[in-house]
Amino acid sequence: MRSRSRRGLVSAITAAAVVLSPVAFATPADAHGGRNHVQKLVKAVSGKNVKRHLWALQAIANANGGTRVSGTPGFDASRDYVAAKLRRAGYDVTIQPFAFTFDGYITPPVLKRTSGEQKTYTYGFFADYVAMQDSPAGAVSSTLQAVDLVLPPGPAANSSSSGCEASDFAGFTPGNIALMQRGTCNFRIKVDNAIAAGASAAIVFNEGQPGRTEVDLNPTLGGPGVTIPSFFTSFAVGNELAATAGTTVQMNWDPIVETRTTYNVIAQSRKGDPDNVVMLGAHLDSVQEGPGINDNGSGSAGILEVALQMAKLKPKNQLRFAFWGAEEFGLLGSRHYVNALPPEERARISLYLNFDMIASPNYTFGVYDGDGDAFGTAGPAGSDVIEEDFEKFFAGRGLPFKATAFTGRSDYGPFIAVGIPSGGLFTGAEVLKTEEEAAIFGGTAGIPLDPCYHSVCDTIRNINDRALDVNSDAIATLAGTYAYDTGTIGTAPAPTTASRATHPHHPADSAS
């Protein structure tokens, strides 16, 4: 999941002031004897217990090529781990299969500088490089040749026209790898010109101005017909490769696109009102590049431990826990689930709580902006109450929190699209922590909230134990409360058609 905006920050002082008002959800819970149960539940859901599940997911990734991506044995083993725990706890567990298009690679990609001081670069969005969409397979080792670069970069975007004209390749040595810079024309024109000049492969790096430095877009070549492997890198990588004439580079790209099967795991309590379902969800899959222990082992482990502890309770409302497959391919698991539900079944879901990345190492405590006052995009009626209840949890502990955008870019998207009140927590991904956030939450300004987002280093070492513990308690507090009383949440009629669009993680970009 990605959250790019930095508005909606609430200071520790403001948060502390909020707690002076009564906690809205405590009174309804008391009416059903639930408050005492909530306190016991929160005590039982310790961060240590949650982290045991993360160690298990790390072991699964270690045994399966370092990944738990949907459509691979690593995900299937994660599915089996979660399902077995939930069955033993007494839940009615359903494994829901669905087909999807797996778009990845067979052997790991390679970009390596082989001359001078050798260096291997890291594959992945928000890392060092990615293969351009529609790049063919290929393995190349050759000399890198710069093509009309503008270094240092110009003051504005599109100062560089590197590779946009055939004349840029005057004197190009056939068989070399063309090193080009983003700017002016689209990627396909640059690569087509490189092919015409006899290049064996192409590397285009980001141009270098603010906002054009990282691998933060999905570069596309606009369709078939390209005949050489083509990579897109960060500005830092391109600038480094361009620094020494005659640099040699090894590249390998071994893609695969095929239909595979993956799964959702749905666990439902055997007790509670089936006409008032309280649902929690988190995506269980990782990206192919790494084990995904924060993204999103953390959310999955959090709701798993809450589910195991809640199995000891007798809820007034029915509880449903979902572990989604193929979120990283565009929210496919949650979309499949919601789309397959008959309207009368959708109407029984009073609310949905989503947890995607709850233990980022450079975290902020983010609460989805259900009322829309911070970002202008509100959820269905009742989402504002969920946001307020999460805020009161943090305020009750004297902890700061901030609003995070509620745009449909995680698995709550399909639920809000059909009018189901939703909310949840998010500790941040690739966005850099601001000075203001560092002053309030601690951590380091100027680096990402999760520096290992979508990367090989998203391991058990990428977890902030404090954020994991606090957010797991927040999950337990609201789940335990809503298990006894959802108040007015879910009483508004749900629309029958989608009210907003959901977006995959990486919209394709072929522009300059």
Side-chain angles (χ1 to χ4, degrees), residues 477-493:
T477 298
L478 265 68
T481 298
Y482 296 149
Y484 292 93
D485 198 317
T486 57
T488 60
I489 301 172
T491 58

Side-chain angles (χ1 to χ4, degrees), residues 137-461:
V140 175
S141 294
S142 189
T143 300
L144 202 63
Q145 187 167 346
V147 178
D148 192 29
L149 307 180
V150 179
L151 294 175
N158 298 314
S159 297
S160 171
S161 60
S162 169
C164 292
E165 304 290 340
S167 58
D168 293 343
F169 292 84
F172 188 86
T173 302
N176 281 356
I177 298 171
L179 178 65
M180 297 172 284
Q181 187 174 14
R182 181 185 183 188
T184 304
C185 63
N186 67 40
F187 302 129
R188 181 58 175 266
I189 291 173
K190 295 175 187 286
V191 174
D192 280 347
N193 285 334
I195 293 169
S200 58
I203 297 174
V204 181
F205 62 93
N206 216 340
E207 193 174 7
Q209 297 86 7
R212 291 167 77 90
T213 59
E214 306 302 321
V215 184
D216 59 355
L217 75 165
N218 187 0
T220 178
L221 294 171
V226 174
T227 56
I228 59 174
S230 303
F231 287 174
F232 181 79
T233 81
S234 69
F235 173 77
V237 170
N239 192 43
E240 185 174 86
L241 291 174
T244 304
T247 295
T248 59
V249 168
Q250 178 185 350
M251 296 173 60
N252 180 68
W253 176 235
D254 188 17
I256 183 171
V257 179
E258 65 180 14
T259 299
R260 295 186 182 181
T261 298
T262 193
Y263 307 87
N264 294 324
V265 179
I266 310 296
Q268 186 162 278
S269 64
R270 299 180 186 274
K271 297 179 180 179
D273 182 1
D275 289 325
N276 197 21
V277 175
V278 173
M279 189 166 185
L280 290 77
H283 75 87
L284 187 58
D285 61 318
S286 72
V287 293
Q288 192 172 4
E289 288 71 45
I293 301 304
N294 186 38
D295 184 15
N296 182 39
S298 62
S300 295
I303 68 167
L304 175 59
E305 184 61 23
V306 168
L308 298 180
Q309 298 301 331
M310 291 192 77
K312 304 168 187 176
L313 304 180
K314 295 180 180 179
K316 179 176 182 290
N317 302 316
Q318 193 164 67
L319 302 172
R320 192 175 299 166
F321 298 88
F323 300 81
W324 307 117
E327 188 269 356
E328 299 291 1
F329 292 87
L331 318 183
L332 300 184
S334 52
R335 286 181 180 181
H336 176 80
Y337 175 81
V338 171
N339 290 343
L341 283 177
E344 60 272 18
E345 289 300 320
R346 291 180 186 172
R348 293 189 173 101
I349 301 174
S350 294
L351 60 93
Y352 173 75
L353 304 180
N354 191 72
F355 305 98
D356 192 349
M357 304 177 66
I358 65 168
S360 300
N362 198 29
Y363 70 90
T364 61
F365 288 126
V367 179
Y368 290 134
D369 183 26
D371 61 11
D373 66 348
F375 295 91
T377 306
S383 303
D384 55 337
V385 178
I386 296 170
E387 179 188 12
E388 183 180 6
D389 286 349
F390 273 122
E391 290 174 348
K392 288 180 177 177
F393 166 83
F394 289 105
R397 293 198 172 188
L399 294 172
F401 54 88
K402 59 169 288 186
T404 191
F406 202 47
T407 56
R409 296 189 68 171
S410 188
D411 286 303
Y412 61 85
F415 288 87
I416 63 175
V418 297
I420 295 172
S422 300
L425 304 174
F426 175 54
T427 53
E430 83 286 359
V431 171
L432 304 183
K433 177 169 267 186
T434 66
E435 294 285 352
E436 182 184 10
E437 289 169 339
I440 293 172
F441 294 96
T444 306
I447 69 170
L449 300 173
D450 183 357
C452 289
Y453 176 60
H454 281 192
S455 297
V456 66
C457 60
D458 188 8
T459 67
I460 195 73
R461 295 182 179 181

